């Protein structure tokens, strides 16, 4: 039984930083990429960043330079999202996912997700 559990969300002032974590448990295939998505009510889900089994990383163009995704190299079980210089438009529910595919494919994915966490809310004021 695969579980993805996010943490680290909260309220932060514009210009500040936040670090999100996503811990995976269960048998997530090692070949799967891990992706951060975000969604605002009433809007379409948006890919934020992904890291795949080859270590390739892909970001949505609008967030390059402010956000950084990484994976705990020791256990591969925890994915992080460092959010820097946050803006009010970064306010969203951030959710992590695990899916087969490359980082570039997964960050742009709009279809069904194989494994999906519950999300952690980020509010920037």
């Amino acid at each position: 039984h695969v579980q993805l559990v996010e943490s680290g969300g909260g309220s932060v002032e514009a210009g500040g930083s936040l670090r999100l974590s996503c811990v995976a448990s269960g048998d997530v295939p090692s070949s799967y990429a891990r992706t951060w998505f975000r969604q605002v009510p009433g809007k379409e889900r948006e890919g934020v960043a992904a890291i795949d089994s080859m270590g390739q990383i892909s970001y949505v163009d609008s967030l390059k330079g402010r956000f950084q995704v990484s994976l705990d190299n020791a256990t591969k079980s925890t994915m992080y999202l460092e959010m820097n210089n946050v803006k009010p438009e970064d306010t969203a529910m951030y959710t992590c996912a695990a899916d087969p595919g490359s980082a570039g494919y997964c960050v742009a994915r709009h279809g069904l997700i194989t494994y999906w966490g519950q999300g952690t809310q980020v509010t920037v004021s």
Side-chain angles (χ1 to χ4, degrees), residues 46-119:
E46 176 186 33
V48 173
I51 182 166
D52 63 29
S53 61
M54 302 300 290
Q56 298 296 310
I57 291 174
S58 186
Y59 297 96
V60 65
D61 286 344
S62 61
L63 297 176
K64 283 181 181 177
R66 292 198 298 120
F67 288 15
Q68 184 172 7
V69 66
S70 61
L71 193 64
D72 167 26
N73 285 324
T75 64
K76 308 290 186 185
S77 64
T78 304
M79 176 174 64
Y80 302 100
L81 184 68
E82 298 276 356
M83 305 169 62
N84 298 307
N85 189 25
V86 294
K87 303 176 180 181
E89 53 263 41
D90 294 324
T91 295
M93 179 69 76
Y94 286 73
T95 307
C96 66
D99 241 345
S102 67
Y105 172 79
C106 288
V107 78
R109 187 176 175 84
H110 291 282
L112 293 176
I113 300 295
T114 306
Y115 299 116
W116 191 246
Q118 292 299 308

Side-chain angles (χ1 to χ4, degrees), residues 1-5 22-35 51 53 71 75-79 96-100 114-117:
H1 175 65
V2 172
Q3 267 196 315
L4 301 175
V5 179
C22 170
V23 179
S25 60
D27 294 327
V28 179
S30 58
S31 60
Y32 276 28
R34 311 284 180 84
T35 307
I51 182 166
S53 61
L71 193 64
T75 64
K76 308 290 186 185
S77 64
T78 304
M79 176 174 64
C96 66
D99 241 345
T114 306
Y115 299 116
W116 191 246

